[in-house]
Amino acid sequence: MATKVGIIVLSGTLDKAMPAFIIGTTAAAMGMEVGMFFSFYGLNVIHKEKMKNLKVSPVGNPAMPIPVPQIFTILPGMMDFATAMMKDMMKKHKVPSIEELINQAKELDVKLYPCQMAMSLFGYKEEDLIDGLQKPAGAATFLNFVNAGEKSLILNF
Amino acid sequence: MATKVGIIVLSGTLDKAMPAFIIGTTAAAMGMEVGMFFSFYGLNVIHKEKMKNLKVSPVGNPAMPIPVPQIFTILPGMMDFATAMMKDMMKKHKVPSIEELINQAKELDVKLYPCQMAMSLFGYKEEDLIDGLQKPAGAATFLNFVNAGEKSLILNF
Amino acid sequence: MATKVGIIVLSGTLDKAMPAFIIGTTAAAMGMEVGMFFSFYGLNVIHKEKMKNLKVSPVGNPAMPIPVPQIFTILPGMMDFATAMMKDMMKKHKVPSIEELINQAKELDVKLYPCQMAMSLFGYKEEDLIDGLQKPAGAATFLNFVNAGEKSLILNF
């Protein structure tokens, strides 16, 4: 019986969604059974329109390698600049994009669950979300999935 | 022997405390044994006064559905506005409040541990915290709790 | 066979690195086998120069006990002020510094893995990082480490 890996995605930023999918697809490629549960702002990652505009935020992240003092990070355009810089770095180093990672996840049979409660909270309908997802589910469905493995790993991004 | 679930709450914001308690109470309702460990800013969630004013921050969170450009998020009142908007959405969709979730957790015998080190760091006394908590504890006590299960899940919010 | 604990450090801030090392060293002192995997901004924590300037950010963290309204947190100097305040609190309460925690981790045989992909993304070379690390590795190496235990705990900071 395979190890089950449960990944909760609560953040809607590029710098959280990327590592979540990298861990998820790697674990699936190693033969683990992986489920990802998208809730709160994490729903954006699987939202047809919003997934195209995931950002990184330099504001409040003193560890981001942005060549300006923190006070300038709040200026209009800085978030887009930081996001473009990050996307550019990723492309240059052949890190797959979110779209590519989602496709890899689907091919590797990673199960992608939208959180029912968060969908109703933000007013998202099933047709607003990308194709190939599991039925909207709650925390119990997700915990049952994770707990059914011989070994269970659970992570929260 | 039941699955043990250990949840570390390091964040003192509403949008991290909510999912932490939703996972915790759901796991407990499913028969798992759940311990929650509140450290660093997470202590605010079980602080008698501060728990009444948990906020969400639109600053530095480009994924939050706030209808203003990021630069305005730093203005006085915006954090309260975003928090009120979120609380309103939760109430409208019958998502329980933090107070209700804490009560559910206690009823389901979820063990709530304040972190001893963080209490002394922030100068909080036991009487500053809500009733019904375990004795202040350290990381070893918490890890022992989690590790004692036949299966162990550990999460960090 | 011991419990394996895998800790992913994605954040490059003091208030995430500290609890990551406290959990890691505590688990190792209890006899668990611990591996820590530093990726994205978390690489800063094991970067020879950048580790000296890890900060906490009051911006976008409404739970930080800073005695000024949120709008002032963006001002030049506020992040350094908040960081100095936090470091001072930690020193006064004898919480070990990051340097001390890293040394403790090495003495307790905690394995510290820099993420290969993040190193190439940010242009860091092995000689830019502190001594005593494992060879740069990927998510598969890390997941293999964690999954090899009789019991496996995995956390993400």
Side-chain angles (χ1 to χ4, degrees), chain A residues 54-121:
Chain A
L54 301 185
K55 294 187 193 305
V56 295
S57 172
V59 183
N61 183 358
M64 185 175 290
I66 292 291
V68 296
Q70 183 69 13
I71 188 165
F72 294 130
T73 61
I74 201 73
L75 291 181
M78 278 306 296
M79 191 172 295
D80 291 331
F81 168 70
T83 303
M85 199 180 89
M86 180 69 80
K87 283 189 174 174
D88 196 57
M89 280 162 66
M90 296 197 300
K91 202 165 184 176
K92 200 172 129 203
H93 291 93
K94 303 196 173 57
V95 179
S97 68
I98 281 291
E99 289 81 355
E100 290 166 322
L101 284 167
I102 291 178
N103 284 335
Q104 282 181 22
K106 287 180 189 168
E107 279 164 28
L108 288 160
D109 202 27
V110 172
K111 291 187 170 39
L112 307 174
Y113 299 92
C115 172
Q116 174 87 69
M117 189 196 81
M119 283 177 66
S120 85
L121 204 55

Side-chain angles (χ1 to χ4, degrees), chain A residues 3 15 22-23 26-27 30 32 59-65 70-71 86 89-90 93 95 151 153-157, chain C residues 8 10 12-13 41 44 57 59 74 76 79 117 120-122 139-140 143-144 146-147 149-150 152 154-156:
Chain A
T3 296
D15 43 8
I22 290 172
I23 295 280
T26 304
M30 291 166 70
M32 303 181 188
V59 183
N61 183 358
M64 185 175 290
Q70 183 69 13
I71 188 165
M86 180 69 80
M89 280 162 66
M90 296 197 300
H93 291 93
V95 179
K151 190 178 291 183
L153 301 176
I154 189 166
L155 273 169
N156 166 26
F157 287 86
Chain C
I8 302 173
L10 294 175
T13 57
Y41 316 123
N44 287 2
S57 172
V59 183
I74 202 72
M79 191 172 295
M117 189 197 79
S120 85
L121 203 56
F122 292 117
L143 285 169
N144 262 328
V146 180
N147 196 40
E150 184 192 337
S152 303
I154 189 166
L155 274 168
N156 165 27

